[in-house]
């Protein structure tokens, strides 16, 4: 047995640390005025906006549908939605026409994720956007400080795509990182990031019978649902579980936190997803054990992608900081006005398992400057959504998807004009234009 163990150890030690691949010529798939990486809320808005501005646009998305956290993530809610964004207005009208939207307030609505997929595809197609699904960006090339192309992998193999302007709407800043941009991650005090959460859709419960858990104040509905779990002898990893009523007997359930997982580490994402899906099953079983009104509750589906609150924050030519939110600063080149509070979910369960509501600063309506959408280290690259330039606490406000759409629409608007002008430096954000 000792010889066999030593043989195994010797074999492991002899394994190479790297595999050398032959040099290869990567075919150029196509050339565009604007290429958007990431088809979530920010990316869809950016692509539609750029195409409506006259640019030839490609939208590259790794999953099998557009929408990102809205669809493959089953978020089911849009926050900070009271915008002048024409794209967000078009999305809302299309959802209303399909009876697929429930308005909860002036800045908050719920939606049907399947209808959202169709709406986003239709709006992009109508604008002339070239959509490529099932495709991941794996490399980026910079020449003399300017991003010239990106490389993808898919069932079609390895392909290069060139453009005059690129927009990183990946959420985690993947394209910018591949291009060599500097970035920050996590709380500057200890480096911890906000937890991940896997959404699920549940059914089998009469809406009126559980109204006290969804149709009451923000704090009350969370506290009451947490008490129900406690009554069943189950404590969810998220201390402020939420039930969103989507219509009929359909609900979205957010009741888990996974701590210490990196959004840029596949092993972390894998274990986090498995852990969260197991907890969803346990949490629904716990409610069902209580009997009425939970007797028939069941999981319809879990999200294909775990929800990521925080990834890379790319360095931009300007930066959104918490002081700007507290003062309500609105720079002249603001692309949108944000109003959402500083929503920091606990970064460590030893300090609690809910959102930190008591210590967060009061936010006044503030502007997100165009400079925060412009990568500082690489020319020809714009940022949209939660990877734009800001600090940890400001990010916890502007990361919500109403703001992602607005910053995406702004980036698309600018990209179409920058493609005509030839450089970001030749473009000035129009005075008082807000999305």
């Amino acid at each position: 047995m000792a010889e066999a163990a030593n043989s195994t150890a010797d074999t492991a030690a002899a394994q190479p640390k790297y595999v050398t691949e032959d040099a290869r010529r990567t075919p150029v798939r196509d050339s565009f005025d604007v290429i958007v990486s990431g088809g979530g809320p920010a990316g869809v808005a950016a692509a539609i906006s750029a195409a409506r501005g006259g640019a030839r646009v490609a939208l590259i998305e790794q999953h099998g549908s557009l929408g990102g956290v809205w669809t493959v993530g089953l978020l089911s809610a849009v926050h900070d939605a009271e915008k002048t964004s024409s794209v967000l207005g078009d999305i809302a009208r299309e959802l209303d026409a399909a009876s697929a939207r429930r308005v909860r307030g002036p800045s908050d609505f719920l939606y049907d994720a399947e209808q959202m997929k169709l709406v986003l595809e239709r709006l992009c197609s109508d604008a002339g956007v070239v959509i490529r699904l099932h495709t991941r960006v794996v490399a980026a090339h910079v020449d003399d400080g300017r991003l010239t192309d990106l490389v993808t992998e898919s069932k079609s193999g390895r392909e290069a795509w060139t453009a005059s302007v690129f927009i990183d709407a990946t959420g985690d800043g993947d394209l910018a990182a591949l291009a060599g941009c500097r970035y920050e991650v996590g709380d500057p005090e200890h480096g911890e990031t906000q937890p991940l959460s896997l959404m699920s859709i549940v059914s089998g419960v009469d809406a009126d019978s559980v109204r006290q858990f969804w149709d009451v104040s923000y704090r009350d509905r969370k506290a009451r649902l947490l008490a129900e779990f406690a009554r069943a002898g189950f404590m969810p990893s998220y201390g402020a579980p939420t039930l969103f009523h989507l219509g009929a007997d359909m609900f979205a359930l957010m009741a888990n936190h996974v701590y210490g997982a990196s959004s840029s580490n596949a092993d972390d994402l894998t274990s986090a997803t498995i852990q969260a899906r197991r907890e969803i099953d346990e949490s629904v079983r716990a409610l069902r054990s209580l009997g009425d009104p939970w007797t028939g509750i069941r999981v319809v589906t879990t999200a294909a992608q775990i929800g990521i609150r925080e990834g890379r924050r790319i360095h931009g030519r300007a930066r959104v900081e918490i002081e700007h939110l507290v003062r309500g600063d609105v720079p002249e080149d603001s692309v949108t006005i944000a109003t959402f509070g500083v929503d920091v979910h606990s970064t460590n369960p030893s300090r609690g398992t809910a959102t930190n509501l008591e210590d967060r600063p009061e936010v006044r309506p503030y502007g997100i400057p165009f400079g925060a959408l412009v990568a500082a280290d690489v020319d020809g690259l714009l940022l949209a959504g939660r990877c734009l330039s800001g600090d940890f606490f400001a990010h916890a406000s502007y990361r919500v998807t109403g703001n992602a759409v607005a910053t995406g629409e702004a980036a698309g608007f600018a990209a179409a004009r920058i493609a005509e002008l030839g450089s970001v430096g030749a473009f000035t954000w129009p005075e008082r234009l807000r999305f």
Side-chain angles (χ1 to χ4, degrees):
M1 293 294 293
E3 288 184 7
N6 289 336
S7 177
T8 301
D10 291 343
T11 300
Q15 290 294 323
K17 293 183 178 180
Y18 300 97
V19 173
T20 300
E21 296 184 278
D22 293 335
R24 55 184 170 181
R25 293 161 62 88
T26 301
V28 175
R29 172 65 176 80
D30 207 341
S31 183
F32 294 84
D33 298 318
V34 178
I35 292 179
V36 182
S37 178
V44 166
I48 293 171
S49 180
R52 288 176 176 176
R56 184 166 184 262
V57 181
L59 176 58
I60 299 174
E61 164 58 34
Q62 64 178 317
H63 292 288
S65 69
L66 299 179
V69 70
W70 276 350
T71 53
V72 293
L74 294 179
L75 181 61
S76 303
V78 178
H79 299 300
D80 218 348
E82 191 177 21
K83 301 287 184 185
T84 57
S85 163
S86 61
V87 173
L88 191 56
D90 289 343
I91 291 170
R93 281 189 291 274
E94 292 271 349
L95 289 171
D96 287 344
S99 300
R101 189 171 78 113
R102 293 189 63 247
V103 178
R104 297 199 305 177
S107 293
D108 190 357
F109 68 80
L110 306 177
Y111 60 88
D112 179 317
E114 283 304 311
Q115 288 299 314
M116 179 69 88
K117 294 175 186 177
L118 294 168
V119 165
L120 299 181
E121 289 168 359
R122 184 162 57 247
L123 288 173
C124 282
S125 296
D126 288 350
V129 175
V130 175
I131 302 169
R132 169 64 85 84
L133 303 176
H134 304 291
T135 301
R136 179 183 291 275
V137 176
V138 297
H141 296 130
V142 177
D143 183 20
D144 195 25
R146 184 180 184 87
L147 182 58
T148 58
D149 64 86
L150 56 78
V151 178
T152 62
E153 293 276 7
S154 71
K155 288 287 188 177
S156 297
R158 191 173 178 90
E159 300 172 302
W161 308 65
T162 67
S164 299
V165 186
F166 296 83
I167 300 175
D168 187 335
T170 61
D172 296 321
D174 293 335
L175 174 57
L178 289 169
C181 293
R182 292 168 297 159
Y183 57 85
E184 300 168 25
V185 179
D187 188 321
E189 182 178 342
H190 41 60
E192 294 171 353
T193 58
Q194 295 191 60
L196 284 61
S197 291
L198 186 68
M199 294 292 297
S200 63
I201 303 297
V202 300
S203 185
V205 178
D206 176 71
D208 286 336
S209 69
V210 294
R211 186 175 291 274
Q212 63 174 312
F213 303 109
W214 61 268
D215 193 23
V216 291
S217 71
Y218 175 87
R219 289 176 181 270
D220 285 348
R221 62 177 177 258
K222 290 174 177 285
R224 291 175 182 180
L225 186 56
L226 183 63
E228 280 293 270
F229 280 121
R231 190 164 70 90
F234 177 82
M235 186 55 62
S237 56
Y238 177 30
T242 307
L243 203 61
F244 301 106
H245 182 221
L246 304 178
D249 68 341
M250 301 289 287
F251 295 85
L253 176 65
M254 181 173 66
N256 58 82
H257 272 174
V258 181
Y259 299 92
S262 168
S263 66
S264 58
N265 184 294
D267 290 330
D268 282 5
L269 293 174
T270 298
S271 60
T273 302
I274 293 171
Q275 175 184 330
R277 191 160 15 244
R278 184 183 302 119
E279 184 179 338
I280 288 171
D281 179 67
E282 294 170 350
S283 64
V284 170
R285 287 175 182 270
L287 290 176
R288 191 162 54 237
S289 73
L290 295 174
D292 290 337
W294 305 105
T295 303
I297 191 170
R298 61 186 179 88
V299 178
V300 175
T301 186
T302 56
Q305 170 67 56
I306 195 166
I308 298 169
R309 293 184 174 87
E310 187 178 355
R312 304 179 186 92
R313 304 188 306 275
I314 307 302
H315 285 199
R317 296 187 181 179
R319 190 168 186 258
V320 187
E321 300 179 344
I322 186 61
E323 292 81 5
H324 305 152
L325 280 63
V326 173
R327 293 194 301 260
D329 290 353
V330 181
E332 290 184 0
D333 66 340
S334 293
V335 303
T336 191
I337 304 299
T339 63
F340 201 73
V342 177
D343 185 30
V344 178
H345 287 235
S346 173
T347 60
N348 189 314
S350 67
R351 294 191 289 272
T353 60
T355 305
N356 186 344
L357 295 174
E358 285 71 27
D359 297 333
R360 67 181 184 180
E362 183 178 348
V363 172
R364 298 180 180 180
Y366 64 95
I368 298 176
F370 175 66
L373 277 59
V374 181
D377 300 325
V378 174
D379 195 16
L381 176 61
L382 301 181
L383 315 167
R386 59 182 171 84
C387 69
L388 62 82
S389 182
D391 70 19
F392 173 79
F393 293 101
H395 166 274
S397 166
Y398 63 69
R399 68 178 173 83
V400 296
T401 60
N403 296 322
V405 172
T407 58
E409 187 167 358
F413 170 88
R417 284 144 187 83
I418 292 167
E420 293 178 349
L421 295 170
S423 72
V424 175
F427 174 79
T428 301
W429 186 259
E431 185 178 358
R432 299 191 181 281
L433 176 62
R434 309 277 163 74
F435 291 103

